[in-house]
Amino acid sequence: MYYTPKIDDPAKGLEQICDSASKFNSDRFIYALEYKNWDVRRLEHMCVEVASYREKLGAEYNRLVDFARTFNREFATANNQCYSSALTMLRKLRSGISETKRLFKKFCPRARKEVIYHAIGNQPVSAYDYSYISADSYQLPLFSFDAYPECVSRLHNEMTEFFMLMVRCMQLCREVMKEEANIKKDNKYCKYLFDEFKGKLMPEIADIISLIPHDADELSEAHNPAIASRYKYETDEAWASVGFHNYSRTDVKKLVIRQVLDDEQGSDITAMEKLLFGNDEETVRKYRHIIKHFDELIPASYHRNNLPAKYIQMFFQFVKIPYKLESDAVDYFNETYLSSPDHRFVTVTYQAINGHKKSVLEDKNGDFKAFVEKLRQHFYGENHLNLDANF
């Protein structure tokens, strides 16, 4: 039974592969070939094989470049387990890593397992350390490439391009991991990424947040490591660098849900209001008050039964309703407006309100600008500084 060299653990794999691939040169290559003594047919076959490796590695490199653009811009990952950036990088280069190891193994001496163990102090050795093409000590060749069949030069060129590309992959991985380490030192930026994650998540949970009980098992510290970690810290900012890239997207999503439900307890601000208007309770109450007194924004010359849909659309643009929550915003607006005993109009549908979105955004006739000015003067002026308890 012959020994099969093994790659080191993933955390060290990136450095080991990069260092070993960087050692490849023409002298080590000729030194290895002289020991292997392969015939022309075998060498021709290897040329084709390495060319296919290089092509696949090129595709993986392109995917890695795309991955690197967004990786450190996301607070949480899609992994189901605690995050290891080194492991993820190795997985992104799965075939490239496998084929790199295969190449090094092809140039390894063949020996029985027990002989290798005795020779190196009874410790297993990896293909990257044991291969002729990464040897620290080697004999310089007596002849140049011209003395060998043409396929030797072609194989050398294919392997050179492959290993150069692998080194580029490893260097990119190093850069991404270095950037990740620097981000973890910046609590404020980690907090910014966490807030951005929450902002993108809010539209996703809008339809389910009211259905989730606060005491659900999946929202408990015992069942969610992200929640258990977060509640050891007083603020999001204090925790953010700990949470960055350490928990799965699913776990952090449940943490956000738990936070929304916690904030709702003991407050008159609902989860839906936070989703629509943000976490500032004073702002939420202001918008609620405006909706209840929306009739005050309607011109006296308006005599229809239904609220003017365009005005509601202008209000939505003023408060910056997330586009994925526009339908929920209409439901909330109608419910809140009708809760005022003094309302004069009948509510309108989402379709009617949405039909004015383009014209409001373009605002060619200045209606939206005039609406905002009137709203600010009427609800943010001296007449409304002392608002009732329900605003």
Side-chain angles (χ1 to χ4, degrees), residues 24-258:
F24 181 78
N25 59 32
S26 58
D27 291 341
R28 285 189 177 90
F29 175 70
I30 296 298
Y31 168 73
L33 283 186
E34 288 176 348
Y35 270 95
K36 301 306 290 187
N37 195 29
W38 287 322
D39 58 24
V40 171
R41 182 178 178 182
R42 176 71 182 275
L43 294 172
E44 292 280 5
H45 177 76
M46 283 190 64
C47 284
V48 175
E49 191 175 25
V50 177
S52 69
Y53 292 171
R54 177 174 50 80
E55 185 176 345
K56 285 194 290 185
L57 181 58
E60 288 188 339
Y61 174 74
N62 290 334
R63 289 194 293 270
L64 184 64
V65 169
D66 291 338
F67 171 78
R69 289 193 183 102
T70 60
F71 173 67
N72 282 325
R73 305 296 174 265
E74 297 178 353
F75 183 82
T77 73
N79 295 333
N80 292 326
Q81 299 178 346
C82 289
Y83 184 75
S84 165
S85 54
L87 181 58
T88 294
M89 297 300 178
L90 290 174
R91 285 173 175 169
K92 290 290 178 184
L93 295 167
R94 187 179 298 275
S95 68
I97 299 297
S98 175
E99 288 149 2
T100 301
K101 182 178 177 182
R102 191 175 296 119
L103 272 177
F104 276 89
K105 287 174 65 176
K106 287 180 183 295
F107 288 90
C108 281
R110 292 176 64 83
R112 293 188 178 278
K113 183 175 182 179
E114 48 271 36
V115 174
I116 292 177
Y117 267 91
H118 289 308
I120 62 172
N122 205 31
Q123 293 292 326
V125 65
S126 78
Y128 302 109
D129 295 327
Y130 195 57
S131 178
Y132 288 126
I133 59 175
S134 59
D136 291 327
S137 299
Y138 56 93
Q139 182 177 338
L140 295 176
L142 297 176
F143 306 101
S144 65
F145 279 109
D146 295 339
Y148 296 91
E150 189 268 342
C151 59
V152 171
S153 178
R154 285 196 292 111
L155 177 58
H156 172 264
N157 292 340
E158 288 290 354
M159 290 180 66
T160 297
E161 290 187 30
F162 176 84
F163 286 128
M164 286 178 61
L165 183 56
M166 179 54 73
V167 169
R168 289 174 64 192
C169 291
M170 296 298 104
Q171 289 173 340
L172 179 57
C173 291
R174 282 172 166 175
E175 291 172 6
V176 172
M177 292 170 64
K178 182 179 179 180
E179 182 184 40
E180 180 193 40
N182 288 333
I183 290 174
K184 284 179 177 288
K185 298 175 184 177
D186 189 342
N187 277 35
K188 291 186 181 298
Y189 186 62
C190 289
K191 167 65 162 51
Y192 165 79
L193 292 176
F194 183 46
D195 288 342
E196 190 175 61
F197 175 88
K198 289 197 285 188
K200 293 178 180 178
L201 180 65
M202 290 306 185
E204 295 182 26
I205 65 176
D207 294 337
I208 63 171
I209 192 72
S210 61
L211 305 176
I212 301 175
H214 186 269
D215 59 352
D217 285 344
E218 59 265 33
L219 300 183
S220 68
E221 296 181 31
H223 290 81
N224 187 304
I227 293 175
S229 174
R230 168 60 186 88
Y231 281 86
K232 293 177 182 178
Y233 297 81
E234 290 190 9
T235 65
D236 282 349
E237 184 174 320
W239 172 79
S241 61
V242 176
F244 176 67
H245 280 189
N246 274 332
Y247 302 99
S248 71
R249 189 180 188 280
T250 299
D251 284 342
V252 180
K253 176 180 178 180
K254 291 175 181 177
L255 165 62
V256 174
I257 293 174
R258 166 72 179 269

